Amino acid sequence: MTVYTTLASPIGELLLVGEASAGAPGGTALVSLSVPGQKGGAVVQDDWVEDAAAFGEIAGQLTAYFAGERTSFDIEYAASGTEFRRRVWDALDAIPYGETLSYGEIAARIGASRAAVRAVGTAIGANPLLVVRPCHRVIGADGSLTGYAGGLERKERLLVHEGALSS
């Protein structure tokens, strides 16, 4: 059964979508975390059940993150994506709070060629878990803010929040 809830945040209302998982902290594995207007973001379906309590642990971690009290997440993600995308997403998960990497650096970390940078960017753009899987920490080779499904303004706000970018 797919459950969902919304959570107010400094970057707008977050839509959290999950599935029951006995091994997940709080009992819910996160399937998607999206924001309004997000390219490819989740849309509530008729057969989903609204259940804020199912996301208590996840919501608490997000609230602490936005309050500056947490720099990482202990959230189980529901498995999805191709093997290539999972490799890219694992590389995203390894970017420390307050740091950034370029798309080329991500490609190198997963053993992909420089020619694969575009494919890496596509995989990053398909990340269904904004904020908690930190695709906002990936920037252009020249240090510019590029490509964020949630919008460049949100990317900038997250990087300023983490101290990776001056306001």
Side-chain angles (χ1 to χ4, degrees):
M1 173 176 56
T2 302
V3 293
Y4 76 96
T5 194
T6 57
L7 179 69
S9 84
I11 62 167
E13 184 177 73
L14 306 177
L15 173 62
L16 287 70
V17 181
E19 296 174 350
S21 172
T28 301
L30 195 60
V31 172
S32 173
L33 191 161
S34 56
V35 295
Q38 176 184 329
K39 178 182 168 189
V43 177
V44 176
Q45 303 297 307
D46 291 339
D47 61 339
W48 292 2
V49 176
E50 187 169 8
D51 185 356
F55 294 93
E57 176 65 26
I58 295 168
Q61 290 186 41
L62 285 162
T63 299
Y65 166 81
F66 285 116
E69 301 165 356
R70 185 175 195 99
T71 60
S72 63
F73 297 95
D74 180 23
I75 296 171
E76 181 181 312
Y77 307 144
S80 68
T82 65
E83 188 272 334
F84 180 79
R85 284 183 176 180
R86 287 192 305 272
R87 285 179 29 224
V88 171
W89 296 342
D90 287 346
L92 296 179
D93 289 336
I95 304 172
Y97 180 94
E99 295 184 22
T100 58
L101 290 176
S102 71
Y103 292 89
E105 290 170 316
I106 295 291
R109 286 190 176 199
I110 66 165
S113 70
R114 288 285 302 156
V117 170
R118 188 174 295 268
V120 166
T122 299
I124 291 170
N127 171 24
L129 300 164
L130 296 190
V131 183
V132 297
R133 180 179 286 142
C135 54
H136 60 276
R137 296 179 188 155
V138 182
I139 59 173
D142 63 358
S144 63
L145 298 186
T146 60
Y148 186 63
L152 291 180
E153 180 182 316
R154 286 186 178 108
K155 181 173 190 163
E156 180 177 17
R157 290 181 73 181
L158 289 166
L159 291 174
V160 168
H161 169 73
E162 295 183 359
L165 188 66
S166 301
S167 54

